Amino acid sequence: MKRCGNLFEKAFSKENLYFAYLDARKGKRKKKACFEFETNLGANLMDLHNRLHDGSYKPDPYFQFTVYEPKERLIHAPSFRDIVAQHAIYRVIYDIFNRSFISTSFACRIGYGTHRASDYTQRALRGYDSNLYTLKLDIRKFFYSINRRTLRTLIGRKIKDERLVDVMMLFADKEGAVGIPIGNLLSQTYALIYLNPLDHFVKRILKIKHYVRYVDDFILIGLTRDECLKQGERIKMFLSERLALGLSKSTIQKIKKGVNFVGYRTWRNKRFIRKYSLYKFKQLLKGGKQESVVSLLGHAKKTSSIKYLLNIIKEANQNGKNIQIPNSYRPAYNV
C-alpha cells in the first residue's frame, strides 16, 4: 500500500493556509469569529503558521451545545482559527483517502450526498424480485465509539508523515477513552476512514452486489432472509473484532415494503420524504422561515411528496403567508 509523505509542509504552507482561510469563511462572512480573524488576517495566519511549525499549536477549547433534531447530540464547535487549520489539512488529504473509498459510500464526499444515495438505493431495489429482502443496519453511537488508536492506525496506512498525523489527531481528541468530537470538519473525514474497512469487507469478502452506506446507516439489497441473518452476524462480528463497534438495530424486510433511508421512504416506483420532515415543513411554514422551507422543497423535489408540499404552501399563502416559490417549482405550484 502506497503511503504519502512530506505532507506537513504542503498542508501548512503559507499559501495553503490562505486558501484554507478562504474555504473556512464560506457562508461565515457575517459571523463574529470570522470577522475578528479577518480584521488582522495577515498576523493571524502567520501566527497559525508559526505555531504549527514550531510545535506549539493546540486547538482552542470547543464551544459545546446540544442539538435535539433528529436526535440528541452534543456538538463541539471549533474556533475559526481551528477551522482554518482543519481546512488546510482537508485540502491535502481528501483526494488521498477518497481514492480508497467505494463508490456507494455517499456521506461527506464531494459530488455525493443524500439525493445520490437515495437514487442509487431505488435503482438497486428495482433490480430484484419484490419478495427478496433488504438488511438495514445502524451502528450504535458511532462517533462516540470510535477508537482513536485504531483511527490513527488507519490514517497511518495512507500517510507516513507523523508530524501531520500528530496534528490531525489533535482534532480527534475529546474527553473519555474513546470517541471523536461531532462538529469538526475533519470528524466527517475520520468517519469515512474508520468505516472504509467495513465497506471493503462487505464488497470483497461478503460479495454483496448492492450495498449502500451513509455515515453509520447502511443497507444490503437483494438477499434471501437466511442470507440477511447470516451476513448480519458476520458484519456484527467484523465490527466488534476489527473496529470495536456495535450495532444498535437491524431491520430485515421484503423489498416490496421499501426502505427508510437518508431521509426518504423509498419503494421501487415511488419515494416520499419522512413523516417527521412533513411535520417540520409545516412548522417552518407556520413560522414563515422562507429559506428553510425552500431547502425542504429541494429535499422533496424528486419525490411524490412535492405536490403535497406545494399545495400546503399555496393554502398558506392564500391565508396571508408570503412564501416565495422558486421558479423551478412554479409550473407544479400553479396547477
Side-chain angles (χ1 to χ4, degrees):
M1 183 180 296
K2 183 178 179 181
R3 300 170 71 220
C4 299
N6 302 315
L7 295 178
F8 183 92
E9 296 293 339
K10 183 177 180 180
F12 301 130
S13 68
K14 294 175 183 178
E15 181 182 29
N16 196 55
L17 285 171
Y18 176 72
F19 284 118
Y21 148 73
L22 295 179
D23 290 338
R25 77 177 188 178
K26 291 177 182 176
K28 296 184 174 68
R29 298 298 299 274
K30 295 181 181 179
K31 300 287 186 180
K32 180 181 177 182
C34 179
F35 175 77
E36 291 177 345
F37 193 88
E38 287 183 319
T39 56
N40 202 6
L41 180 60
N44 284 328
L45 286 177
M46 183 56 69
D47 179 69
L48 178 58
H49 173 272
N50 292 341
R51 289 181 181 276
L52 286 162
H53 282 263
D54 67 19
S56 64
Y57 173 79
K58 292 289 185 290
D60 295 323
Y62 292 102
F63 172 69
Q64 299 185 29
F65 60 96
T66 303
V67 298
Y68 298 93
E69 296 178 5
K71 57 185 176 182
E72 183 175 340
R73 294 178 298 167
L74 178 64
I75 304 299
H76 294 71
S79 68
F80 188 81
R81 180 195 71 153
D82 295 335
I83 295 174
V84 173
Q86 290 186 60
H87 272 284
I89 296 169
Y90 182 81
R91 288 172 56 81
V92 168
I93 71 167
Y94 176 81
D95 286 338
I96 294 171
F97 286 100
N98 190 56
R99 289 192 292 268
S100 70
F101 300 149
I102 66 170
S103 62
T104 56
S105 171
F106 285 94
C108 309
R109 298 174 67 187
I110 298 170
Y112 285 70
T114 56
H115 289 173
R116 282 191 62 180
S118 184
D119 289 345
Y120 173 86
T121 302
Q122 189 169 54
R123 288 196 303 271
L125 292 174
R126 289 170 178 166
Y128 293 97
D129 186 284
S130 63
N131 286 310
L132 286 176
Y133 289 82
T134 61
L135 171 62
K136 183 174 181 290
L137 301 169
D138 178 25
I139 296 173
R140 182 191 305 117
K141 295 183 177 180
F142 172 52
F143 283 93
Y144 301 107
S145 302
I146 289 176
N147 184 299
R148 294 191 290 271
R149 186 173 297 176
T150 301
L151 174 63
R152 182 173 186 124
T153 298
L154 292 172
I155 292 172
R157 290 179 181 176
K158 288 287 186 182
I159 298 177
K160 62 183 178 181
D161 190 327
E162 288 294 327
R163 285 201 301 165
L164 180 62
V165 176
D166 286 343
V167 178
M168 290 176 65
M169 292 307 296
L170 291 176
F171 297 109
D173 198 22
K174 67 184 290 290
E175 62 278 4
V178 296
I180 64 174
I182 299 174
N184 276 329
L185 167 70
L186 289 177
S187 292
Q188 301 170 0
T189 305
Y190 296 162
L192 285 166
I193 294 169
Y194 202 81
L195 286 182
N196 194 40
L198 168 67
D199 296 339
H200 287 278
F201 172 73
V202 172
K203 295 297 291 183
R204 296 185 181 188
I205 307 301
L206 301 187
K207 305 292 184 183
I208 302 300
K209 183 176 181 180
H210 287 104
Y211 160 81
V212 54
R213 181 171 66 81
Y214 196 91
V215 193
D216 55 348
D217 291 331
F218 50 101
I219 303 178
L220 287 66
I221 301 169
L223 309 180
T224 65
R225 182 172 179 83
D226 285 344
E227 287 172 334
C228 287
L229 293 171
K230 177 183 176 182
Q231 305 297 25
E233 283 301 312
R234 294 183 71 182
I235 289 170
K236 181 179 178 181
M237 185 177 299
F238 179 88
L239 287 170
S240 176
E241 294 179 354
R242 292 283 302 277
L243 300 174
L245 297 172
L247 295 173
S248 66
K249 57 185 176 182
S250 63
T251 303
I252 298 173
Q253 62 183 26
K254 288 187 176 181
I255 285 175
K256 64 183 178 182
K257 292 188 176 181
V259 293
N260 194 340
F261 185 57
V262 294
Y264 299 99
R265 295 175 293 146
T266 302
W267 288 263
R268 294 196 297 176
N269 298 313
K270 58 186 175 182
R271 197 184 319 177
F272 295 91
I273 62 174
R274 288 175 175 169
K275 291 180 180 179
Y276 174 77
S277 296
L278 288 174
Y279 165 78
K280 185 177 180 181
F281 182 83
K282 292 177 181 178
Q283 295 300 113
L284 292 169
L285 192 59
K286 187 183 298 183
K289 303 293 181 62
Q290 170 77 35
E291 289 186 7
S292 298
V293 167
V294 172
S295 177
L296 259 175
L297 282 179
H299 176 64
K301 187 171 185 177
K302 297 171 69 174
T303 76
S304 299
S305 302
I306 187 64
K307 288 185 178 180
Y308 177 66
L309 298 187
L310 290 171
N311 284 334
I312 294 176
I313 294 175
K314 182 181 290 187
E315 183 178 335
N317 284 345
Q318 289 171 350
N319 291 326
K321 294 290 183 183
N322 186 29
I323 300 298
Q324 301 300 311
I325 304 299
N327 290 334
S328 59
Y329 298 100
R330 275 289 168 187
Y333 178 76
N334 291 326
V335 171

